[in-house]
Amino acid sequence: MPPPGDPDAAARLLRPALRRSGPAEVPDSKVGQLLTLLDRSGVPQTLENLLEGRPGPAGVRPRTVLAALMLSVYYTGRATVADAWRILHFSLRPRARTWLDLPEHPQPGARAHIAASRRLYRGLDRITTALDPARCDRRKRLPLHEAEALTARWQNAHGRQAAALLQRLSNQLVLSVVRMAQQHGHLRGWHGDIGVDATSIPVLARPDSDHSGTASAEITAGWHYNGGSETGIFGYSAALVIAAHRSDRPHRSRAYPQLCLGLVLDTPTARTGQNAITALTQLKALGLPTGTCAADRAYTGQSPGNFQIPARRLGYRLVLDYKAIERGPQGSWAGAPLVDGSFLCPLTPATLIEATTGADDKAVRLRSAELLEHIAAREPYHLKRKEGPDHHGTTRLQCPAAGPSPSVNCPRRARLRPTGTRTSALPQATVDLSQARTRFSHPAARPPIQLPEAEYLNPPPKDTLPKVCSASAITLRADAGINDDFRIAKYRQDEHYLSPAWDSSYKPIRSHNEGANGRFKSADLDIGNPKHRPATGQVAQTLLVALMLTVANLTTLETWLIQRTGDTLNNADFEALAPADLSLADTHRPRTHGSGSRPPPSATP
């Protein structure tokens, strides 16, 4: 029983119990840096516009709520309102409190503490309410039919519009550090190579129960299955875009911080390709270079209109992997067969075309000498790139026997398009056998194309032969094959499968993806631990994961700078950061801060 006459006794008995924890004192400079980063992202202004005119007390501003959560992630690794309140109440100096529209000194007493905590909870609740297209009571499990009706609201036009806004806001947070690194030239050594992957985001809520007929409190969550695993993880899938590089890049070009360049959190297996394109589109808007994009088989299996075609139109070169049933011949275009994502000469030997047909994953990982020989023997038969890709993703390819540097000798090509007496086509009188380049460029070193016997005796007319043989080049649009043979748009890639160039692209970029996932799910800051982000609902989970990845990017950049220069980021680096393009996040004019808000410090006190 509480002691008689104690006015705070009832408040002290409330749950959750309030206790003091966290850092003893947060420097004003760090508060100013994180607050500047948050303001430059444009997210607080957009949220205040959304909340303007809504009924009920204004409460704690979105800017204060997000800043408190970001401080909590930075100092504790957890995105919880309880930790955020403790830092606001016990760890900030009076000057920093005024920047967050808080009184210089917190009111004493248990009742005041409880009230301040409740206001912060309500502040987060107002944000999630404004962004959630299907708001419901997250504190209890709903009947299955009610949950299904609410889930359907996420899929209608209004729900997808709300989800798109949520995705853009979360990406604006993550890209705030990327924009700062770009502005200060820290991404000069990065050539635009990226890895796209979906990682699991578990939740505390239990899944649907057929026994009780109740749905999960996370109505839009589902089962995420990692590659090769038969055990699912209940929660969400986060599409992450990671800065990476190919192993054949010069060493000096690899000096860059390996940041997360995009985040989209969604229901597992839903809109997998579209979510990746959403992140890539916002990244493209920053004016960063576009290079090789490596993705696992979950993205190869997407409808080409949802991933492959938009990625090519954005300027990325795709490097993909295949399932066993997808390896080998995959269609044809203009008479050229598509084999393992690359176009070959129509007269390529069948042994080379069928070399990977039916090969399982083990055979691809541990390649036999015979398979390696066949992969190497395919190289001269690949169509050569003549032009492109241009800004529309259009490429022009030509016969391997054409051009100034043919790789095969083809009598059909010589008959249809004679070259006259060019000296480049004639054998050289003498050959320096000590020069490998001279030996390989000699016409006698090229593989000969074997024509059907009937074609030697009775050559067919030009218009009856494949277009790739009769034309100077064939045009390959970004959406080639989408209307007749979708396999062309789905399986085509820009490196020859299992070749050394493919190995130097796919393997290191995928390794960078997995390494980044490991860092983001480490002991210090673990986005995979649901206890570090216990708030319920897709909106809350998206914002909390975005804040955690923003801090992860910031610490990655700080660590990279310390290792290279011995210095870290200072206040001037944050203050020089240009505001984000708010047209990506909101069409309304941002509202200016109130008179009670002060700018971050210009120097460390």
Side-chain angles (χ1 to χ4, degrees), residues 182-314:
Q182 177 193 20
Q183 181 175 324
H184 290 85
H186 302 319
L187 295 178
R188 285 194 299 265
W190 178 63
H191 290 268
D193 300 330
I194 59 170
V196 179
D197 193 18
T199 187
S200 62
I201 304 295
V203 295
L204 288 175
R206 293 175 298 169
D208 299 350
S209 172
D210 294 330
H211 176 72
S212 63
T214 58
S216 173
E218 296 280 358
I219 60 174
T220 55
W223 291 98
H224 178 103
Y225 291 90
N226 295 323
S229 174
E230 297 181 356
T231 303
I233 301 173
F234 186 73
Y236 297 96
S237 291
L240 301 182
V241 178
I242 305 297
H245 64 265
R246 302 159 52 114
S247 61
D248 56 358
R249 297 282 190 196
H251 180 71
R252 63 181 179 274
S253 70
R254 305 178 191 176
Y256 65 93
Q258 198 170 64
L259 304 176
C260 175
L261 306 177
L263 159 73
V264 177
L265 189 137
D266 204 348
T267 306
T269 71
R271 296 169 290 274
T272 301
Q274 295 166 303
N275 290 337
I277 296 302
T278 297
L280 294 179
T281 302
Q282 281 196 267
L283 180 62
K284 177 74 172 180
L286 296 184
L288 291 168
T290 54
T292 300
C293 173
D296 62 12
R297 289 178 288 188
Y299 293 88
T300 307
Q302 295 298 302
S303 173
N306 292 335
F307 177 67
Q308 290 89 335
I309 293 174
R312 293 189 185 103
R313 286 175 173 167
L314 288 173

Side-chain angles (χ1 to χ4, degrees), residues 64-126:
T64 305
V65 176
L66 296 180
L69 289 169
M70 188 177 290
L71 284 166
S72 174
V73 175
Y74 190 88
Y75 283 101
T76 70
R78 299 184 297 270
T80 65
V81 179
D83 289 312
W85 175 83
R86 290 167 192 149
I87 291 179
L88 287 186
H89 203 76
F90 296 113
S91 302
L92 298 187
R93 298 175 181 176
R95 187 184 182 197
R97 290 177 59 85
T98 60
W99 299 334
L100 297 172
D101 291 334
L102 299 173
E104 290 190 7
H105 301 281
Q107 296 182 359
R111 289 182 180 274
H113 292 183
I114 290 290
S117 174
R118 293 293 184 267
R119 284 195 294 270
L120 196 60
Y121 276 98
R122 287 197 298 270
L124 178 61
D125 185 72
R126 281 174 56 82

Side-chain angles (χ1 to χ4, degrees), residues 393-422:
T394 300
T395 304
R396 286 179 60 79
L397 302 176
Q398 63 180 359
C399 167
S405 301
S407 57
V408 296
N409 297 321
C410 181
R412 175 186 290 177
R413 185 77 184 183
R415 176 178 67 85
L416 295 177
R417 305 183 70 85
T419 58
T421 58
R422 294 192 321 178

